[in-house]
Amino acid sequence: MNQNDIAWVMAFLCESCFSFMWLLVTNVTWSPAEHKPYPDRLDERVHDLPSLDMFVSTADPVREPPIIVVNTVLSLLAVNYPPNKLACYVSDDGCSPLTYFSLKEAFKFAKIWVPFCKKYNVGVRAPFKYFLSPVVSSEDSEFSNDWNMMKREYENLSQKVEDATGDSHWFDADDDFEAFSNTKPTDHSTIVKVIWENKGGVGNEQEVPPFVYISREKQPSYVHHYKAGAMNFLVRVSGLMTNAPYMLDVDCDMYATDADAVRKAMCIFLEESMNPNHCAFVQYVCDSKAEGFNLLQSFLERGVAGIQGSVYTGSGCFHTRRVMYGLYPDDVEDNGSLSSVATRKLSAEKTLAEMFGISKELVKSAARALQRKANPQNNFTNSIEAATEVGNIHYEYQTSWGKTIGWLYDSILEDVNTCIAIHSRGWTSSLISSDPPSFKGCMPPIGPEAMLQKQRFSTGALEIFFNKQSPLIGMFQQKIRLRQWLVYLSITMSSLGSLPMLFYCLLPAYCLLHDSTLFPKGLWLGINLTFVGMHCIYTLWKFMRPGLSVDFWYPSFCGSLFSIFDITLKLLGISKTVFVVTKKTVPATKLGSKDGPPQRGDDSQVDDTLYLLPATFILLVNVAALADYLVGQQLWSHSDQRGGSGLAEASGCTFVAMLFLPVLKGRVLAAPKARDRRFKPLSLSLSLSLSLLHSMAPSAQSPLLTSEGDEKYANVKWEELGFALTPTDYMYVAKCKQGESFSQGKVVPLW
Ligand SMILES: O=c1ccn([C@@H]2O[C@H](COP(=O)(O)OP(=O)(O)O[C@H]3O[C@H](CO)[C@@H](O)[C@H](O)[C@H]3O)[C@@H](O)[C@H]2O)c(=O)[nH]1
Ligand SMILES: [Mn+2]
C-alpha cells in the first residue's frame, strides 16, 4: 500500500464511522415528542393526590457549598402540592456537620418561606434566585414589607452558613452534632436525623413538609457506588418512613423554578388513559444552557421521547417506586393492581428478603409499595433504627440492590444505565419541556471542570457499552424497541467517535508531511468542498441554536478521548472508574448580579495539563506540516501535477489549526492571575506533544534513504517511475557471458 492509499483508506474508515454515527443521531431526531400537562385540570380529575418522596443528594461540602443544597431544598419544600403528601430526604455522602447545620437552619427559614411563597404565589422558590429581582410594588404595601423581611431573613441564613464554614465551634457545643464527631467522609457510621416531621399531617397548605437528613455508613475499603448507592439508600429510608408511590430525584445543584412542577408530573402519571405499559418515569428538560455541551438535553431528548420514552438524565426526574422495585409492565393489571402471577411471585417473604435485604420493616414496606398500599401512620422517629440498619455497608450484600432493583451499579453513568434497564423491561417514559424550564442547574463553567464532567459521562457510557446492559446484546433479549435501542447504541458509543475525529484532524498534516494526496483535484475538489462547507455550517448552526459557543465542542471531544483511555485501563483491570463530583459555583446573592452565561472556570482545582494535550498535539502537528510545506516544499513553485499534496491539503491543515487555536489561546490568555498557573500545564503539554510529533513525522534519516529492517533502500516513488527514461546518479552493473549465469553485480557511480 502506498502513502496515498493509506491516507484514503484512513479517510474512508473515518468517514464510515461518522456516517454511522450520523445515521444513529438522525434516527433519534425523526419523531420528536413531549407532554403538555394542564395542572389546573388536575384537581377536577383527582381529589386525593398521591404522595411524593423528594430526594436531594450531596457529596462534598467544599465542591458543593451547602448554601446551594439549601436553595435546592427550599425550592422543593415550597412547591404547590399538599405538604402532607410530600417528604424531603437529603442524602449527604460527605457526612458533613456543616451540611446538617445548614439544613437545620434552612428548616427554620422554611417555616416562614413556605407560607410567604404560597401567600404571594411566588414563581421561583429558590430564595437566592428570587431575591435577585427587585421588588415590584409600592414601598409600604404589605407585600413589600414581607418581601424585605424575607430578604433579610435569607441574608441572615446565608451569613450563618458562611460563618459556620470552617468554624466548627458552631457544632461542637450542640449535642445534636454528636454523631458527627470523629467522622471522616470516607469512614463513619450511618446517620439519620429527622429535622422536621409533620405530626399533625392534616394538609394545611402553609406547613413545611417532613424533612430528613441521612448519611449512609462508609468505610474506605468498601465500594459505595457513588450517587447510585446514595439513591438506593434514599429509596430504602423513604420506604421505611413514607413509602410514597412516586419519587423525585434532584441533584443538589438543581433547583425547581416552577412551583407547579410536581402537579405537572402527576398530570402524566394520573392520565385517564393509563394502561399497564404507561409511564415508568417523567423527566423534565432541565436548563441545559449552563450545562453547555450537554446537547442531548436540548434537542435529542424530544426525539427520544417520541420513540419509547425520554432518557432519564439524573436530575429533575419523577420515578415510580414500583418500577424501581423491579416490576415489569406485565406484572400490572389494567386497573393498576398487581397481576395474580406477580402477586404469587412477590408475596413470598423469602423472595422479597432475598431482593430487598434482611430488614423486616423494609420487606414489609416493599410489599406494600408493590401493591400500592400506603404505610400505616407512623412517626418518623420510630423508623430511625430501621433506617440506620439499611444504611449499613453490608446491607446490600447478596441482595438485588443495584443489580435488578433501584439505581444500577455497573456504570458511573447510573442514570442512563438504570434507564436502559427500565426501558428494556418494556416500560415507557415521558418528557415535559416547559418554557422557562422547570428545573435549573448551576453547572460547571467551560474549562477543566467541564472536561472532567464530560470525561465522566463518556467513561460511564462506555462502561454501559461493555456491561451486561450493553445495547450490543440487549436488543436480542429484551422488550426494548428497535429505534430506542439505536438511541442507546448512539449514547453509549458516542465517545468512540472521538478516535476517527482525532485521526481525521491529523490526516491533512500526514499527507503534507508525506507529500501524498488527500483530496481529489479539479471539479471533484469543488464538490468535496461544497459538502464539507455545508456540513461545517450545519454543525455550527446546531451548536449556536441552543445558544452555545463553539468552545463547548472541545470538552466533549477531549473528554471522550480520555474516556477511551479510562475504559481501556478498566477493561485491562489496571484501574477503576471514579465519580469525581463536579465543582459547583456559589450562586450570586447580590441584587443586580444576574444568572448570566457560564464563565471560564479559572478557580478550578483540576490540573488541566493532560486536557490540553490533544489540542496542543493536533495544533503542533498541523502547524509543523504547514511550515514544512511552505518552507521545505516552496509553496509557489509547488506543482499539483506531481500528484502529491497541494493547496487543498494545506488548507485542510490550516482549517484544523484554526479549530484548535482558540482552545489554546483561551487557556493561555485566561485571567492574568491564572496565567502563571496555566503556563506550567501548557509548557508540559507542549513538550509532551513535541515528543509525540517527533515519533509521528517521517523518519529523520537522510532524505534519500528509508530503512526497513536492517536494509537501506533508495527513497524512490516506485509507482511514479513509469516507462520513460529516468536519469539516475548510480547504475547497477552485473556481467554475463552467453550461456553462463550473471556474475555478482554491484552499484557504481555514473561518473
Ligand atoms: O459519591 C457521590 C457522588 C455524587 N453524588 C451526587 O450526585 C449528584 C450529581 O453529581 P454531579 O457532580 O453534580 O454530577 P453532574 O455531572 O452534574 O451530574 C449528572 O451526571 C451524573 C452521572 O454522571 C448523574 O448522577 C447526575 O444526576 C447528572 O445530573 C450530586 O448531587 C452529587 O452530590 C453523591 O451523592 N454521591
Ligand atoms: Mn451536577
Side-chain angles (χ1 to χ4, degrees), residues 56-60 63-64 69 91-94 216 218 224-231 234 249-254 291 294 297 312-316 407 411-416 442-444 453-454 456-457 460 579-584:
V56 176
S57 52
T58 180
D60 183 338
R63 292 177 75 78
E64 303 178 327
V69 189
S91 149
D92 177 18
D93 269 349
R216 62 204 161 119
K218 291 254 190 82
H224 56 85
H225 305 293
Y226 307 105
K227 182 182 166 186
M231 293 312 293
L234 280 163
D249 166 20
V250 182
D251 282 355
C252 64
D253 54 2
M254 194 161 264
E291 211 167 6
N294 193 356
Q297 282 278 39
Y312 161 45
T313 51
S315 190
W407 271 251
S411 163
I412 45 169
L413 195 65
E414 79 295 321
D415 40 10
V416 178
C442 321
M443 295 295 172
Q453 189 193 42
K454 179 62 197 174
R456 173 158 54 73
F457 287 162
F579 188 128
V580 183
V581 178
T582 321
K583 188 175 189 321
K584 279 92 186 173

Side-chain angles (χ1 to χ4, degrees), residues 203-380:
N204 179 352
E205 279 293 310
Q206 313 288 315
E207 277 170 20
V208 180
F211 182 20
V212 181
Y213 168 96
I214 60 177
S215 182
R216 62 204 161 119
E217 184 183 8
K218 291 254 190 82
Q219 270 180 28
S221 49
Y222 281 83
V223 280
H224 56 85
H225 305 293
Y226 307 105
K227 182 182 166 186
M231 293 312 293
N232 286 341
F233 180 44
L234 280 163
V235 173
R236 293 198 290 271
V237 174
S238 63
L240 291 165
M241 293 184 170
T242 38
N243 212 12
Y246 298 103
M247 309 179 289
L248 164 64
D249 166 20
V250 182
D251 282 355
C252 64
D253 54 2
M254 194 161 264
Y255 56 94
T257 51
D258 178 359
D260 272 331
V262 178
R263 295 159 60 80
K264 286 181 181 169
M266 290 305 164
C267 286
I268 294 175
F269 282 127
L270 306 177
E271 223 174 271
E272 268 159 6
S273 62
M274 180 154 160
N275 63 54
N277 257 9
H278 197 67
C279 186
F281 61 86
V282 174
Q283 171 71 56
Y284 270 91
V285 173
C286 303
D287 186 354
S288 59
K289 241 184 202 164
E291 211 167 6
F293 50 82
N294 193 356
L295 286 173
L296 176 80
Q297 282 278 39
S298 54
F299 70 92
L300 295 184
E301 270 281 77
R302 284 179 193 81
V304 193
I307 310 175
Q308 189 173 343
S310 64
V311 176
Y312 161 45
T313 51
S315 190
C317 187
F318 292 75
H319 293 277
T320 31
R321 193 179 283 272
R322 296 207 295 180
V323 175
M324 273 298 175
Y325 282 178
L327 276 198
Y328 281 71
D330 293 346
D331 293 334
V332 183
E333 299 284 357
D334 282 358
N335 62 5
S337 60
L338 272 191
S339 72
S340 48
V341 181
T343 315
R344 264 200 307 281
K345 197 172 68 186
L346 294 165
S347 59
E349 227 169 77
K350 193 163 160 284
T351 324
L352 286 184
E354 277 162 10
M355 285 168 72
F356 291 88
I358 51 166
S359 164
K360 287 206 172 61
E361 287 87 343
L362 184 66
V363 168
K364 278 187 204 149
S365 89
R368 280 193 293 265
L370 288 166
Q371 283 154 6
R372 305 205 100 180
K373 289 186 191 142
N375 272 7
Q377 278 292 333
N378 181 20
N379 278 349
F380 281 61

